[in-house]
Amino acid sequence: MSEGTTVTIGDAAKRRIFAMLDVDGDGVIARAEYLARVDRAAAATGREAGHRVVDAARTAHEEVWADMDADRDGRVTFEEYRTWAGHDAFERSCRPALGSLFDVADLDGDGRLSRAEFTRLRVASRNTAPDADRAFDDLDTDHDGFVERDAYLAGIHDFVTTGVSPMGAAYGSPDGP
């Protein structure tokens, strides 16, 4: 694992992910802001807006939104996100949604992303290219030039639930996204 890719267990990982999802930096994640992730990933990978994997990603992200916005006010505060985020929420709705974004980026459908595909997806998700490269290097444990879907999802799961994961590099330093 690259130096500096882990954070302490607690709210640090959740704060980093929340900051990434709060695109306009106003302290809340709006529904449109969250659902735009799919459009950014599709545009970054050259997928047509109506492609079946883009439609599946939109549906999966709608399900996450319905799960995450507990008070149904169309906004998710950090407190709401903190309460929601964790293993159960990941397995219930995040795994399918994040897997669907992986599928959007996996242009040949082989279940793995090249460095270029991975970087396009992570930059579309508001990570920097250098942070995405570091995460790719950490996740490509067999050094074959690819990150498999299961490793990608396990990395995000571990980051969200423990704060320790090769995916930590994708989210930048603990001081900011």
Side-chain angles (χ1 to χ4, degrees):
M1 189 178 311
S2 297
E3 186 174 326
T5 61
T6 62
V7 295
T8 58
I9 297 174
D11 285 344
K14 290 177 183 177
R15 286 190 186 285
R16 287 167 60 191
I17 293 171
F18 184 87
M20 181 192 72
L21 296 172
D22 179 15
V23 175
D24 62 10
D26 67 353
V28 297
I29 305 166
R31 182 178 181 277
E33 202 170 29
Y34 181 75
L35 296 177
R37 299 178 62 171
V38 175
D39 297 326
R40 287 193 313 270
T45 60
R47 292 274 195 189
E48 294 293 323
H51 191 281
R52 65 178 175 72
V53 297
V54 176
D55 288 343
R58 241 184 240 104
T59 299
H61 279 73
E62 288 280 1
E63 290 173 16
V64 171
W65 182 259
D67 198 26
M68 187 168 51
D69 184 17
D71 62 6
R72 306 291 184 250
D73 68 352
R75 311 165 1 122
V76 174
T77 64
F78 178 72
E79 290 303 319
E80 200 171 5
Y81 178 79
R82 174 199 284 150
T83 300
W84 171 80
H87 174 77
D88 291 343
F90 188 89
E91 294 303 324
R92 182 175 56 247
S93 61
C94 286
R95 182 178 296 278
L98 293 168
S100 73
L101 286 180
F102 185 99
D103 297 342
V104 168
D106 182 10
L107 297 177
D108 63 5
D110 67 355
R112 58 192 194 154
L113 298 180
S114 67
R115 180 180 299 274
E117 291 170 324
F118 182 90
T119 300
R120 279 192 294 271
L121 173 60
R122 294 315 310 172
V123 169
S125 297
R126 299 193 63 235
N127 302 133
T128 69
D131 289 341
D133 277 343
R134 242 180 42 233
F136 183 91
D137 290 340
D138 289 347
L139 289 168
D140 181 17
T141 57
D142 62 3
H143 308 291
D144 67 350
F146 295 95
V147 170
E148 286 72 25
R149 191 178 201 269
D150 289 343
Y152 178 76
L153 294 173
I156 297 172
H157 171 271
D158 291 349
F159 187 70
V160 169
T161 59
T162 70
V164 180
S165 164
M167 276 303 292
Y171 299 104
S173 72
D175 299 326

